[in-house]
Amino acid sequence: MEQGRRIYLRPIEVADAEMFVKWRNREWVRRNFIYQNPFTVESQIHWIRTQVEPGHVVQFIICTKQGDRPIGSVYFRDIDRGEGTAEYGIFIGERDAVGCGYGTEAACMALEYAFTKLHLRKIFLRFLEDNVGARKSYEHAGFRLTDRTETVTTLSGERKARFMEIDYGIWEALNAAGGAD
């Protein structure tokens, strides 16, 4: 378990599948993902069993310290241990927890985990360009926009996805200076 100031991260478990699916299928959550098809409990359990448990994906549930309340999830997927890279993803699934800074705090904690425990060298992410709140949160955590874009097809049509990244050297310098924000 990773402890932060207001939240902690705990590994996702099969018992979390129903809650996770409820969050992920909320329209206001789904519309901000590139993959927008509804999730099922069965598919989430399969994901945990075949991706998380063998270590192909590292995924956490974000919980508030006050009230011990699960509010979302953060993960690293497509982990390439040889190259030292992974793709980052996060969402807050409880409406009243959006915009409270939990996502930024979770991102900072997850990056520390990725760089110090997984020994990764570079983390990247993709986000839908019109998701301004996500971009701001990622920037507060130290991610920097790249020139890379792609057009993706979502259930709501074609949209532009932007890429951001952070490498170990930048993360280390930000932490030495007192944090990303």
Side-chain angles (χ1 to χ4, degrees):
M1 188 162 20
E2 303 299 311
Q3 294 284 336
R5 188 172 56 83
R6 299 179 306 146
I7 61 170
Y8 65 91
L9 306 179
R10 66 168 175 77
I12 194 170
E13 302 171 347
V14 168
D16 296 316
E18 190 172 320
M19 173 183 64
F20 181 94
V21 168
K22 180 181 78 172
W23 288 335
R24 187 60 175 75
N25 285 343
R26 289 182 169 151
E27 190 277 328
W28 58 271
V29 172
R30 244 186 28 232
R31 75 171 173 244
N32 288 314
F33 272 84
I34 293 169
Y35 181 81
Q36 296 180 346
N37 291 332
F39 280 38
T40 65
V41 172
E42 295 76 20
S43 67
Q44 185 60 26
I45 290 170
H46 180 71
W47 170 266
I48 293 168
R49 294 268 190 239
T50 64
Q51 299 300 309
V52 177
E53 289 177 355
H56 306 302
V57 170
V58 173
Q59 188 163 11
F60 297 102
I61 296 294
I62 305 165
C63 299
T64 61
K65 285 184 168 183
Q66 184 175 10
D68 195 36
R69 179 179 170 221
I71 59 168
S73 182
V74 62
Y75 60 90
F76 295 100
R77 60 175 286 154
D78 299 326
I79 300 170
D80 185 328
R81 297 186 193 278
E83 292 294 318
T85 61
E87 182 174 356
Y88 171 80
I90 185 172
F91 72 90
I92 302 296
E94 295 293 339
R95 174 74 88 180
D96 65 339
V98 173
C100 298
Y102 295 129
T104 300
E105 186 175 350
C108 291
M109 293 170 61
L111 287 172
E112 181 172 358
Y113 184 89
F115 289 129
T116 65
K117 297 201 171 130
L118 297 177
H119 306 289
L120 299 177
R121 294 189 299 274
K122 184 181 278 187
I123 309 297
F124 72 94
L125 63 84
R126 297 177 293 163
F127 71 99
L128 295 172
E129 184 175 54
D130 58 351
N131 190 349
V132 177
R135 178 180 172 170
K136 287 180 182 177
S137 178
Y138 301 144
E139 287 172 342
H140 288 305
F143 284 94
R144 297 296 175 248
L145 202 57
T146 70
D147 292 335
R148 187 172 172 202
T149 64
E150 66 182 15
T151 301
V152 295
T153 302
T154 69
L155 292 179
S156 56
E158 284 194 354
R159 293 169 73 187
K160 186 183 244 184
R162 300 291 309 264
F163 285 75
M164 296 179 90
E165 65 183 34
I166 186 169
D167 66 33
Y168 177 77
I170 291 171
W171 175 82
E172 188 177 47
L174 288 170
N175 280 312
D181 194 41

